[in-house]
Amino acid sequence: MHLITSSVGRKLLMAVTGMMLVGFITVHLLGNLSIFAGSEAINIYAEKLHSLGPIVWIFRLIMLGLFAVHIALGIQLTMENSSASPEAYAIKARLKTTFAAESMIYTGLILLAFLLYHLLHFTVQVVHTDAVATLQPLVNGRLNVFAMVGNSFNSAFVSIAYVVAMCALFLHLSHGLQSFIQTLGLNNGPSQDKVSAIGKLVAIFFGLAYIAIPLAFLFHIVKI
Ligand code: HEM
């Protein structure tokens, strides 16, 4: 089986790259949740990451590759589905579907737009420059990432933009996780509903945990 030319191969690549991206958002979430442990925790975490030097760039290149393959195959899959024969469409229309499944391409594109904005915001630091780290005083000789994140989310506009993007993340994961299990052939027989429920619960967890970060600053539950 050729991974790119066969549709099964492409689905498999989609599933594997998707799962690796879930691995990234899990680690990223754990790092970000350290804001609830106070300013030092996330500042030390960010300093450790930056001190990895070339490893950070190798990691960034791998991430870029994963995103590129996942997005390109997602767009191709959507175009193939929409140009499918009327018979295939009739069969598809009879199958049980969900809002999350139907909106995969849209939630995916919202996430892509979010990612570009997010990188310009916290990594390149060229948007919301009044709040970004380069303008924050160093704390114990460290870049004050805590203040950068907190000052940004004190703005209702920025917080709402992140909350909307995290809702898209929830919807995307809620179908993506089930789809991953289905592609691997683990989702059959009586276990099907259980697997769907677990996928949805995991997606809810990610959505709520990520949304908690901007809201905690916006409502001053975590203070800068
Ligand atoms: C409330 C939600 C989020 C917060 C507070 C947050 C916070 C941050 C911060 C502070 C950085 C810069 C780290 C540094 O250079 O010190 C960063 C980078 C990044 N974030 Fe997020 N993030 C959030 C959600 C997400 C999501 C959902 C994704 C993926 C879909 C994501 C993907 C990335 C990527 C790819 C980077 C660049 C990593 C690098 O520099 O190599 N983030 N984020």
Side-chain angles (χ1 to χ4, degrees):
M1 177 182 60
H2 196 283
L3 276 180
I4 299 288
T5 51
S6 87
S7 67
V8 177
R10 287 198 297 265
K11 276 225 86 172
L12 207 62
L13 259 185
M14 251 338 255
V16 171
T17 50
M19 256 311 125
M20 290 167 103
L21 293 172
V22 170
F24 167 75
I25 61 162
T26 307
V27 176
H28 196 47
L29 177 63
L30 292 176
N32 287 335
L33 286 178
S34 66
I35 61 132
F36 290 104
S39 63
E40 275 291 277
I42 194 158
N43 289 348
I44 291 173
Y45 168 73
E47 189 186 37
K48 288 240 163 73
L49 273 187
H50 292 173
S51 71
L52 295 176
I55 298 174
V56 174
W57 280 102
I58 295 171
F59 166 80
R60 282 174 174 166
L61 281 177
I62 295 172
M63 288 293 298
L64 189 68
L66 288 176
F67 273 113
V69 170
H70 193 76
I71 293 165
L73 290 177
I75 293 172
Q76 193 186 10
L77 199 76
T78 308
M79 288 189 338
E80 277 171 10
N81 285 348
S82 63
S83 64
S85 65
E87 292 81 19
Y89 180 77
I91 291 166
K92 186 172 171 261
R94 282 200 302 274
L95 291 174
K96 201 169 108 186
T97 185
T98 60
F99 176 70
E102 292 295 316
S103 57
M104 278 310 265
I105 185 70
Y106 304 109
T107 51
L109 290 175
I110 292 172
L111 284 174
L112 175 61
F114 161 77
L115 197 61
L116 295 175
Y117 163 71
H118 184 54
L119 291 177
L120 291 176
H121 182 193
F122 285 152
T123 304
V124 191
Q125 302 177 356
V126 290
V127 292
H128 312 304
T129 44
D130 47 334
V132 298
T134 42
L135 303 176
Q136 303 300 327
L138 296 183
V139 174
N140 300 337
R142 287 188 190 98
L143 214 57
N144 199 350
V145 174
F146 179 82
M148 165 177 77
V149 174
N151 282 332
S152 298
F153 290 148
N154 272 341
S155 145
F157 172 79
V158 178
S159 277
I160 290 168
Y162 271 74
V163 169
V164 169
M166 295 309 110
C167 290
L169 177 69
F170 155 69
L171 281 171
H172 203 77
L173 283 180
S174 113
H175 179 72
L177 290 169
Q178 289 174 45
S179 192
F180 169 77
I181 293 163
Q182 213 156 32
T183 301
L184 295 195
L186 304 172
N187 189 12
N188 44 39
S191 68
Q192 194 161 337
D193 287 344
K194 221 178 270 173
V195 165
S196 300
I198 293 171
K200 219 164 268 167
L201 277 178
V202 174
I204 290 172
F205 167 76
F206 273 108
L208 290 180
Y210 266 116
I211 283 173
I213 298 168
L215 294 189
F217 282 109
L218 185 64
F219 294 115
H220 305 294
I221 297 161
V222 175
K223 293 185 179 70
I224 306 162

